[in-house]
Amino acid sequence: MGTPKLHAWLLRGDRSTLVVVHFVIMGCGRVGARLASTLDAAGHSVAVIDQDSKAFSRLSPDFSGRRVTGVGMDRDCLRQANIKEAYAFAAVSSGDNSNIIAARVAREVFHVEHVVARIYDPTRAYLYERLGIPTVASVQRTAESVLRRLLPPDASLIWSHPTGEVALVNATPSAPWYGLSFQLVEELTGCRIAFTSRLGSIRTASPDLVVQEHDQLYFAINGTDTAALRDQLASPPKTEE
């Protein structure tokens, strides 16, 4: 394949600069294939590992990265994927044990700084997090996503500063807020929208964006009390007639 592409777009001030990075993805199921194809399309260097060579058919037709057939926790297999040059490693196969072992090999043997493992069992995910391996608990995330669409609008505390002076809150507006610009929402709530999750995609907020159904808005608020914001978004906005 020649020298791997090792670059990604980063914005520095008002200039776009090409920066070099390499990713290794273990597992070429629907999640792995989506990750690899997206990263490759963005210009990154990508290597995908899977035991079944047929799994690579899930990759985008114009995928230009490396395909490695083998076991993702095997050191020789990881070397074929150029793990020593990896900026990040993601273990997203269908097996919890395989994912966590591969993630630990990547972290502890090859010293990859950015490692994540997909874990189906949320209890085990919590234990592995305590071992220093970031995990994504698929069942838990799916359940939370469904609940967000079933329950009345809420405002959940995502992060708060140790001083308690500022916090980041995830909130889903009720239907009467649909169609309002982010700028107007900020004026009505008195809170700044930092970014939004829409149709599975995260994007930075801008004043001209308009609230859509199922939008998850991430607000920066003063203090840590989410009740006022929750009550506002659960009720029709008080706009001037």
Side-chain angles (χ1 to χ4, degrees), residues 195-213:
F195 54 94
T196 180
S197 175
R198 176 176 293 174
L199 299 176
S201 176
I202 300 292
R203 60 188 302 182
T204 303
S206 61
D208 58 320
L209 287 177
V210 173
V211 178
Q212 297 182 9
E213 186 178 6

Side-chain angles (χ1 to χ4, degrees), residues 41-87:
H44 294 280
S45 168
V46 184
V48 190
I49 304 171
D50 201 285
Q51 297 182 71
D52 184 1
S53 60
K54 295 179 181 178
F56 300 132
S57 64
R58 298 188 179 97
L59 294 166
S60 170
D62 55 355
F63 178 76
S64 62
R66 179 176 299 182
R67 301 165 175 83
V68 178
T69 303
V71 180
M73 66 188 78
D74 180 78
R75 299 184 186 188
D76 289 335
C77 186
L78 288 168
R79 291 189 183 96
Q80 291 180 49
N82 203 21
I83 190 69
K84 291 184 178 180
E85 301 298 328
Y87 169 79

Side-chain angles (χ1 to χ4, degrees), residues 20-195:
V20 182
V21 282
H22 176 59
F23 292 89
V24 177
I25 309 294
M26 171 188 153
C28 198
R30 286 175 293 180
V31 173
R34 177 69 178 273
L35 284 173
S37 297
T38 300
L39 291 168
D40 180 70
H44 294 280
S45 168
V46 184
V48 190
I49 304 171
D50 201 285
Q51 297 182 71
D52 184 1
S53 60
K54 295 179 181 178
F56 300 132
S57 64
R58 298 188 179 97
L59 294 166
S60 170
D62 55 355
F63 178 76
S64 62
R66 179 176 299 182
R67 301 165 175 83
V68 178
T69 303
V71 180
M73 66 188 78
D74 180 78
R75 299 184 186 188
D76 289 335
C77 186
L78 288 168
R79 291 189 183 96
Q80 291 180 49
N82 203 21
I83 190 69
K84 291 184 178 180
E85 301 298 328
Y87 169 79
F89 174 80
V92 292
S93 76
S94 59
D96 282 8
N97 290 335
S98 297
N99 287 342
I100 200 61
I101 292 172
R104 294 193 66 177
V105 170
R107 168 69 63 79
E108 298 168 14
V109 176
F110 295 103
H111 310 294
V112 179
E113 183 177 356
H114 305 281
V115 174
V116 65
R118 180 173 71 170
I119 303 295
Y120 287 90
D121 184 343
T123 302
R124 297 173 73 186
Y126 172 74
L127 295 175
Y128 291 133
E129 286 275 4
R130 297 189 65 179
L131 292 175
I133 300 294
T135 62
V136 176
S138 301
V139 174
Q140 182 176 348
R141 291 290 177 88
T142 301
E144 290 174 352
S145 181
V146 171
L147 284 171
R148 277 197 296 267
R149 287 160 173 77
L150 293 177
L151 295 171
D154 196 5
S156 304
L157 191 66
I158 301 299
W159 170 89
S160 63
H161 190 270
T163 63
E165 294 181 358
V166 293
L168 185 66
V169 175
N170 176 11
T172 304
S174 57
W177 292 79
Y178 300 164
L180 298 186
S181 69
F182 280 21
Q183 181 176 2
L184 181 55
V185 172
E186 290 181 340
E187 292 174 0
L188 294 172
T189 61
C191 301
R192 178 66 59 85
I193 303 174
F195 54 94

